[in-house]
Amino acid sequence: MSFHPNDIQRRGVAATAAILVAMTALGSAFFRAQVLDDAAYRLSSERNRLRQVPLPAARGVIYDRHGEIIAENVPGYSVSILGASADSLRSTLVALTRILPLSEGEVNRAVQRFRKDPNRPTVILSDASYDQVAVLEEHRVEFPSLIIQSAPKRYYPDGPAVAAFTGYTGQIRDTELGTEAFEGYKSGQEIGRSGLERQYEAELRGREGSRFVEVDARGRVVRDGADRDFDAPVSGQVLKTNIDLDLQRFIANYLGDTLAAGVVAIEPKTGAVLALHSSPSFDPNRFIGGIQQEYWDELNADKVRLPLYNKAMQGLYPPASTFKLATAALALQDGLVDFDSRMPRPCTGGYVYGSRSWGCWDKGGHGAVTLSEAIAKSCDVYFYQLGLRMSLSRLLAGGVSLKMGERSGIDLPSEVKPLWPASTAYLDSTFGRGNWSNGETLNLSIGQGKNSQTVLNMARFYTALATDGFAATPEVVARSPERTQILKLTPAQFAGLRAAMGDVVSGRGTAGSAAIDGVQLAGKTGTAQNETSRDHAWFVGMAPQDDPTIVVAVMLWQGEHGYAAARIASKIISHFFKRPAIEPANVVGN
Amino acid sequence: MIKRVVADYPLALLALLLTAYGVAMVYSAGQTDAQVVVDMNAWQRQLMWLGAGLVMAYVVSRASVRFLEWVAVPAYTLSIVLLLITLAFGTGAGTAKSMSGWLTIGGVRLGQPSELAKIAVVLMLARLFAGRREAPKSLVDLIVPAVAVLVPWLLVMAQPDLGTGMVFVGIFFGMMFWAGTSWPLLLLVASPAVSLILAFSTGLWGAWFLLLVALVLWFKPYVVEGVVLIVANVVMGVAAPVLWDNLKPHQQSRILVFIDPQQDPQRTGYHVIQSQIAIGSGGLTGRGYLEGTQKQGAFLPAQTTDFIFAVLGEELGFLGVSAALTLFLFLFLRVIRVAARANDGFSSLVAFGLLASWFVHVVVNVGMTLNLMPITGIPLPFFSYGGSFMLSCWLAVGILVRVSAEGRGEADALPIGLRR
C-alpha cells in the first residue's frame, strides 16, 4: 500500500473533511428539528402525552313554582377507558368482563365509539354502582387505562309523579353523533330524551369541562395532570317551572298506578301548567345511565294501560260532551240562541234525523230544556238541533277558530296534534264524496264523530271559557304567557256559560257528586263512546265559578261515566283550594 | 516483552466522557412512568460491562501491534465460525427479535458474534491491504479483500442484520480509501450498489450509467474489468425490482417508511415519528435530565439501546446533542491522527478501519433518530446499552491506545523493522 507520509497526510485531510461534513450535516438536521421546528414537535409531544378527560357538567336544576326541586343531580360514578388503539381497548374490555358484566355487544359498541373519537375516553359505564366502582378500584393496577370519576347523575326526587313532563335523560346514541341535530355533542354525553329535559336541553346541559391526564405509549394513565389548567365544567341553567309540585304529587298519588288517566291543571289567566300527569307512570330515575332491559320490558308489557304513553298530551280521545261548550259558545257568538232558548223539538230520549233516530244518553228524555239546562243535563237532543241550526260548515269553521285542530303549543316535545275536520273536504276525503250525510253535524255537535282531542287541548279551550274568551297557551316553564282570543262573547254570556257549568256540579247536573264545600266548581262531563271497550270518562272544570283560577281537565280511560272523571277533578281542585270535597250524596248520570 | 505504554490520554478521555454520558442516558432511559418492559437497571449492568471493557482495553493495550497482526487470521476464522453457529442456532432480542444475532447456549445469551466480527474484519483487511507493496490499482487487486468482507457480510445479512452489514461495507470502503485506492476506482466498486438504488428511477439510473461509462473511459481499467462493471451495473438495474419483490414485507415497509414515515404512522412509521417528536420537542436546552415525557411515557422504541440518542435529544436538547456530536467528532479526528501517525501500514489501517466502523455506527444511528437514515437496528457506540457492544467499543479503544503509543514511540514495540 501507499504509505508515504504525504499520501497519508492527504488522505487524513480528506477523511477529516468528510467527517466534518457528515457531522455538520447531522448537527444542522438537529438544529432544524430542535431549534427551528421546536414548537411543532413540542405540540405533538404534548398531544402524545396528555389526554383530555371530560368532566361532565351538572344539568340545570328544575324547580317548581314554589322553589321545590323537581329534578336535581346526585353524585354518581362514570367509568371510561383511555384506549391507545382499538385492539388494545378491545383486549382491555375483554379482560374487564371478568369483573364487570359486559356483553359482547357492549364491547363492540365501545370499540365503535372509540373509533369515532379516539382521543376521548370511551365511556363504559355512565352510571356505575358503588359495588362496581369498589371492584374496579380493587383491580386498578391491572387496568391502568381505566378512568373512574365522579359524575353528576340526574335524579328526580318524586320519580314517577313528575315523569309526564320532566321526561328523562340518556346517553347520546352512536347514530346521533355527528348528525346536524346533535352538533357539538360528544360520545358519552347525557342528553335530554323527552319532556322538559329534551325541550330545554340547550339550557339544561351546561358546558363540559376537562382535565388532563398523562398517559404512556399504551394509553395507560401514569399521572393526573394536576399541573395543567383545569377547565371546570359549567352547570346547566336553572329551570323554574309553573308546576305546583304539591298538586302534582297529589294527583299522582290519587290516581295511583291502577287507573289509566291523563290530567292537566292550568292557571286560566296565564296558561301556567300547574300539573300535568299521565297514569300509570314510570320512574324516570331508572332510565338514567341506560335503562335496564327488564324495566323497559316491564313497562312495555302493559299493553292496556301503556305507562310510556302520555295520556295528557299524546293520547287522542273523542271529547264527547265536554265539547258541547264549544257548540254552545259558537252558537251564542253567532247570536243563534240565548241561555233561555229552547229547541223546536223537546227531548224525548231521541231525535229523528234523516232516516234514523239519534238517541240522547238519557233515554227518559229531558223535555223542553233551555240552553243552560241542556248544558247542565248534557242533553244530546238539544245539541243535535243546535248543531243543525248552525249548519255543518259553520260548526267546522267554528271548531277551527277555537283551534280544535291545532296543538295547544305547550313547551313540551311530542304533543300530538288533535283531529278536527277543517272543512267538509276532510269528510269527503275520509268517507268518500257522497258517502257521508248531514248526520255528521249531529255527531260533531255533541263531541263525537271525527273529533279527537288531547286532554291538554281541551284544558286550553276551557281557559277561554274561564276568562274572557282568551285561550292561554299552556306553559310549563314560566317564560312569556301568551293568550289568544278565540271567542267573542259578552261578560254576561261567559258568566252564563260558567253558571250552566256550575249547575253541572249540582243536584240538577250530571256531576252533582263532585261539588266542593266552599268553592263553586263549574265544569262539563263527557262520556266518550268507545267502540272497542268501555267508554272513557271526561271532565273539564274550573273553580271558583265566578273568577276561575284553575282549570282542570281529566280523562279517565275506560272510566265509563263522566262523573267518575268529575270526582277526580273535584278532589284535585279541592286539594288545590284546601277545601274538603262534598261526599257524593246522590249519584246522577251523565 | 512490554515495558511501558503511555496511553493516548485525549483519546482515552474522549472515550471515557462518551461512555459516562452514555451511562447517564441509559440510566435516564430506564426511568419511566410506563408499566412497560423498559430495563430500569440497564445502567448498572452497563457500568459492569464498562468495567470489563476497561480491563480488556488495558490488556489489549499491553499487546503489541505485531500480536494483533498475528491474531488477525485466527480471530477472523473464529468470527466466521461463530457467525455460522449463530446463523444456525442464534436467537433474536430487543428490537431485532426477528433476527438471529445472538449466540445463545442453554438459554443464556452469550453475546453478538457480529461485534467481534467487525474488529476481526478490520484486522483481516488491514493485514491484506498492508501486505501489498502498492495501493490497489485495479479491481483485480481488490478481489481478495472483497472476498474477506463478503463472507462475514453474507453471514450477517443472512441473520438478517442490515445494520451490521452496512458497517462492514463502511469498513471496507474506509480501508480501501486509507490503503490509497484512487477515487475513480472506489466509485467503480461502489457503482453496482448505486445502480441498485437508482434503478427505481429510470431517468436517474440512465444518468448514472452515462456517468459510469465516462468514468470507465477516463480511468481506463482493464477491458475485462470495464466490461464486468458495466454488466454488473446493468444487471443491478434490472435486478432491483426483482430483489424488491423478494424482500420481506417488513423490510419493504422499513424502506418505504424511511421515504415517508407518515404513510403508516401507527405501525412501522411509529418509531421514527415518536423519535422525531422526542428530539424536536427537546428544543434548544431540552426538557431536563430525566424529564423527557416521550421517554417517560415509553413512546420511544428501544429507548435504552437503538433510540438512546432520542432520549438525549429530548432531555438535553440541541445543546446536549451538540455536545455529544462534538465529542464524537473529536474522537474521530483523534483516531485519524492516530492512523496518520502510526508506525506502519497495518497499524494505520487498523486504526482507520476502527474509525470507519464507529463513524458508520454514529452516522446511521444518529441519522436514524431523525429519519435521515433507515431504521436498521444499529447501536450508538459508548451510548447504547449492550454488553458485547460495550466490550467491542472498548476493545477498539485498547487497540487504538496501543497503536497510538507505538506511533509516538511511547510503547516498546517489537521489531520496528517495518517502519519506513
Side-chain angles (χ1 to χ4, degrees):
Chain A
M1 72 169 278
S2 159
F3 206 64
H4 190 274
N6 286 348
D7 290 342
I8 289 291
Q9 176 78 18
R10 206 158 35 78
R11 280 175 234 151
V13 169
T16 303
I19 285 171
L20 272 175
V21 167
M23 298 307 270
T24 310
L26 276 182
S28 358
F30 277 86
F31 183 79
R32 196 182 69 184
Q34 298 193 287
V35 180
L36 303 183
D37 296 341
D38 170 33
Y41 284 118
R42 187 70 173 246
L43 197 67
S44 304
S45 167
E46 298 290 275
R47 206 177 292 142
N48 251 351
R49 171 177 81 100
L50 297 171
R51 286 294 146 78
Q52 213 172 4
V53 175
L55 296 169
R59 288 179 76 82
V61 176
I62 302 177
Y63 292 101
D64 89 330
R65 56 171 44 221
H66 302 301
E68 270 201 88
I69 289 171
I70 294 174
E72 61 179 330
N73 305 287
V74 293
Y77 290 95
S78 80
V79 176
S80 42
I81 292 183
L82 273 174
S85 68
D87 289 344
S88 78
L89 177 68
R90 183 178 292 280
S91 65
T92 307
L93 287 173
V94 168
L96 266 176
T97 51
R98 279 193 293 114
I99 49 175
L100 276 187
L102 291 172
S103 71
E104 199 177 323
E106 282 170 307
V107 169
N108 289 337
R109 278 195 293 279
V111 171
Q112 268 171 12
R113 277 202 296 279
F114 168 81
R115 288 215 171 93
K116 280 200 171 164
D117 196 351
N119 288 322
R120 196 177 164 86
T122 306
V123 176
I124 306 303
L125 300 169
S126 60
D127 177 26
S129 67
Y130 287 102
D131 290 349
Q132 286 170 323
V133 169
V135 169
L136 287 173
E137 286 288 358
E138 234 172 79
H139 295 264
R140 189 97 207 208
V141 184
E142 298 162 48
F143 302 102
S145 54
L146 219 54
I147 293 179
I148 302 170
Q149 61 179 11
S150 69
K153 175 187 166 187
R154 201 55 155 167
Y155 178 62
Y156 310 94
D158 288 285
V162 294
F165 62 88
T166 57
Y168 51 89
T169 64
Q171 235 187 77
I172 188 157
R173 298 188 186 106
D174 300 339
T175 46
E176 293 164 336
L177 279 171
T179 59
E180 211 174 315
F182 296 92
E183 210 186 319
Y185 281 89
K186 292 177 183 138
S187 80
Q189 286 185 333
E190 289 281 307
I191 62 164
R193 279 270 161 243
S194 65
L196 288 176
E197 298 281 18
R198 178 158 146 210
Q199 183 81 16
Y200 292 97
E201 166 69 7
E203 291 167 48
L204 289 171
R205 68 184 284 213
R207 195 181 60 77
E208 186 178 270
S210 65
R211 69 196 170 98
F212 288 90
V213 295
E214 223 176 297
V215 296
D216 69 9
R218 300 195 186 177
R220 303 165 184 220
V221 178
V222 294
R223 196 175 298 124
D224 261 58
D227 56 325
R228 302 289 300 193
D229 293 319
F230 171 85
D231 183 15
V234 179
S235 298
Q237 290 168 37
V238 160
L239 215 55
K240 183 150 164 76
T241 64
N242 287 318
I243 298 290
D244 182 335
L245 191 53
D246 175 62
L247 187 67
Q248 178 78 29
R249 276 187 200 131
F250 175 81
I251 294 170
N253 282 337
Y254 188 72
L255 291 175
D257 264 351
T258 46
L259 296 177
V263 176
V264 174
I266 300 183
E267 208 174 65
K269 293 194 180 79
T270 59
V273 175
L274 299 169
L276 187 149
H277 186 68
S278 171
S279 180
S281 190
F282 58 91
D283 187 353
N285 291 314
R286 296 180 69 175
F287 282 59
I288 308 302
I291 180 168
Q292 294 294 310
Q293 190 63 41
E294 49 203 276
Y295 187 52
W296 181 254
D297 291 343
E298 180 192 322
L299 291 174
N300 282 299
D302 191 343
K303 299 284 182 210
V304 179
R305 300 178 308 149
L306 304 170
L308 292 170
Y309 182 62
N310 193 322
K311 291 158 197 72
M313 55 183 207
Q314 287 182 324
L316 284 178
Y317 313 93
S321 301
T322 59
F323 190 80
K324 283 173 182 162
L325 265 298
T327 312
L330 290 170
L332 284 169
Q333 185 175 264
D334 290 356
L336 299 175
V337 283
D338 58 32
F339 289 101
D340 298 324
S341 302
R342 294 171 206 274
M343 285 297 125
R345 307 264 298 272
C347 173
T348 55
Y351 178 72
V352 177
Y353 180 76
S355 54
R356 63 173 269 212
S357 173
W358 301 72
C360 185
W361 69 270
D362 190 347
K363 302 302 171 210
H366 293 105
V369 290
T370 64
L371 177 59
S372 299
E373 288 164 345
I375 291 171
K377 295 181 192 302
S378 200
C379 176
D380 292 340
V381 171
Y382 187 96
F383 280 93
Y384 291 152
Q385 296 173 74
L386 188 56
L388 289 171
R389 184 178 290 185
M390 285 176 72
S391 86
L392 180 59
S393 56
R394 172 60 198 140
L395 186 60
L396 293 180
V400 170
S401 69
L402 296 176
K403 302 191 186 300
M404 288 298 176
E406 292 174 33
R407 290 185 182 86
S408 75
I410 193 171
D411 52 341
L412 286 176
S414 59
E415 183 193 2
V416 165
K417 191 174 173 178
L419 176 74
W420 176 258
S423 67
T424 53
Y426 176 86
L427 299 173
D428 281 341
S429 68
T430 309
F431 299 107
R433 185 178 289 274
N435 278 346
W436 57 275
S437 70
N438 206 32
E440 281 307 311
T441 318
L442 278 65
N443 263 336
L444 287 170
S445 59
I446 62 159
Q448 296 288 157
K450 288 285 144 196
N451 180 8
S452 287
Q453 299 294 325
T454 59
V455 179
L456 183 62
N457 201 40
M458 287 313 286
R460 177 202 58 84
F461 165 58
Y462 272 63
T463 61
L465 300 176
T467 57
D468 46 2
F470 283 77
T473 305
E475 247 194 351
V476 181
V477 174
R479 283 288 150 87
S480 49
E482 206 178 273
R483 302 181 69 218
T484 317
Q485 189 166 27
I486 56 170
L487 275 174
K488 281 186 180 137
L489 297 176
T490 64
Q493 285 175 314
F494 280 116
L497 281 174
R498 286 197 289 269
M501 286 192 283
D503 286 344
V504 168
V505 194
S506 75
R508 297 182 294 280
T510 54
S513 59
I516 302 166
D517 188 14
V519 180
Q520 182 55 52
L521 174 61
K524 183 72 194 79
T525 52
T527 305
Q529 284 160 22
N530 190 347
E531 285 164 11
T532 55
S533 64
R534 291 181 293 172
D535 296 347
H536 305 319
W538 274 93
F539 183 80
V540 189
M542 57 193 72
Q545 179 190 310
D546 297 334
D547 184 16
T549 54
I550 184 169
V551 166
V552 173
V554 176
M555 191 289 304
L556 185 60
W557 196 75
Q558 294 193 1
E560 296 201 56
H561 294 291
Y563 59 77
R567 270 181 226 147
I568 293 171
S570 167
K571 287 282 183 196
I572 294 168
I573 290 174
S574 65
H575 180 85
F576 182 72
F577 289 110
K578 308 284 180 261
R579 293 284 183 178
I582 293 177
E583 288 308 312
N586 53 341
V587 173
V588 185
N590 186 3
Chain B
M1 182 164 92
I2 297 150
K3 286 177 185 143
R4 63 191 179 94
V5 173
V6 177
D8 184 334
Y9 287 110
L11 179 81
L13 189 66
L14 282 167
L16 266 179
L17 279 176
L18 280 166
T19 311
Y21 202 168
V23 171
M25 290 329 295
V26 170
Y27 172 76
S28 173
Q31 308 302 305
T32 64
D33 299 319
Q35 296 162 333
V36 290
V37 195
V38 168
D39 199 344
M40 278 194 64
N41 300 316
W43 67 281
Q44 290 167 339
R45 264 167 299 160
Q46 185 80 331
L47 276 178
M48 196 192 79
W49 286 115
L50 171 62
L54 286 172
V55 170
M56 186 187 252
Y58 179 81
V59 170
V60 168
S61 71
R62 301 286 119 176
S64 140
V65 174
R66 294 287 71 79
F67 170 75
L68 293 176
E69 198 167 7
W70 174 81
V71 90
V73 178
Y76 180 80
T77 314
L78 178 66
S79 296
I80 299 296
V81 171
L82 287 179
L83 282 177
L84 278 168
I85 293 174
T86 309
L87 199 56
F89 308 108
T91 55
T95 47
K97 278 201 179 64
S98 62
M99 304 179 196
S100 43
W102 284 82
L103 187 58
T104 311
I105 291 179
V108 181
R109 295 203 313 241
L110 296 178
Q112 290 178 288
S114 58
E115 296 303 337
L116 174 66
K118 287 173 199 164
I119 290 178
V121 163
V122 167
L123 295 178
M124 192 67 199
L125 282 179
R127 242 191 103 115
L128 291 173
F129 282 123
R132 300 180 53 88
R133 288 250 156 240
E134 293 194 323
K137 285 281 188 294
S138 71
L139 291 175
V140 177
D141 295 342
L142 290 172
I143 285 178
V144 175
V147 170
V149 177
L150 197 64
V151 173
W153 184 82
L154 285 173
L155 290 174
V156 165
M157 291 301 274
Q159 287 182 1
D161 184 351
L162 183 59
T164 306
M166 282 171 80
V167 174
F168 282 152
V169 172
I171 290 171
F172 182 53
F173 275 88
M175 292 180 73
M176 273 199 294
F177 161 73
W178 197 248
T181 312
S182 62
W183 284 106
L185 189 55
L186 283 176
L187 251 175
L188 286 179
V189 173
S191 65
V194 177
S195 268
L196 184 66
I197 293 164
L198 294 183
F200 295 96
S201 160
T202 315
L204 277 176
W205 186 82
W208 164 250
F209 194 75
L210 289 178
L211 178 71
L212 186 75
V213 170
L215 271 172
V216 167
L217 291 179
W218 177 63
F219 183 60
K220 293 195 186 75
Y222 297 116
V223 177
V224 181
E225 283 179 4
V227 171
V228 165
L229 263 181
I230 300 288
V231 169
N233 274 275
V234 173
V235 167
M236 281 304 189
V238 174
V242 181
L243 284 175
W244 172 259
D245 288 341
N246 280 326
L247 283 180
K248 294 203 173 78
H250 83 269
Q251 293 169 320
Q252 289 183 350
S253 70
R254 275 189 174 176
I255 294 170
L256 289 176
V257 161
F258 171 57
I259 297 162
D260 178 18
Q262 292 294 345
Q263 69 154 353
D264 186 9
Q266 275 306 312
R267 295 220 183 101
T268 329
Y270 180 81
H271 294 168
V272 177
I273 292 171
Q274 295 303 332
S275 166
Q276 282 177 295
I277 289 173
I279 291 167
S281 65
L284 183 65
T285 54
R287 309 294 291 259
Y289 183 59
L290 304 182
E291 301 293 324
T293 58
Q294 287 279 105
K295 176 211 75 180
Q296 285 172 349
F299 291 96
L300 289 173
Q303 56 192 26
T304 57
T305 55
D306 292 357
F307 281 88
I308 187 89
F309 204 73
V311 177
L312 191 157
E314 182 182 28
E315 299 194 338
L316 303 175
F318 182 65
L319 295 180
V321 166
S322 302
L325 291 182
T326 306
L327 284 173
F328 275 120
L329 177 65
F330 285 159
L331 179 73
F332 295 159
L333 297 183
R334 187 73 196 173
V335 178
I336 290 179
R337 189 181 147 101
V338 170
R341 297 186 176 194
N343 275 341
D344 57 301
F346 175 76
S347 316
S348 184
L349 278 162
V350 165
F352 200 83
L354 294 174
L355 166 69
S357 169
W358 277 347
F359 180 70
V360 173
H361 273 102
V362 170
V363 169
V364 173
N365 178 283
V366 172
M368 165 182 90
T369 61
L370 274 187
N371 198 39
L372 303 169
M373 292 281 165
I375 299 177
T376 50
I378 196 170
L380 185 62
F382 306 108
F383 278 80
S384 292
Y385 167 70
S388 335
F389 190 54
M390 184 59 106
L391 284 180
S392 88
C393 285
W394 278 93
L395 179 61
V397 172
I399 294 171
L400 288 170
V401 164
R402 179 71 199 191
V403 170
S404 173
E406 287 192 16
R408 284 176 283 120
E410 285 174 341
D412 293 333
L414 279 181
I416 312 180
L418 286 175
R419 181 188 279 187
R420 294 186 199 176

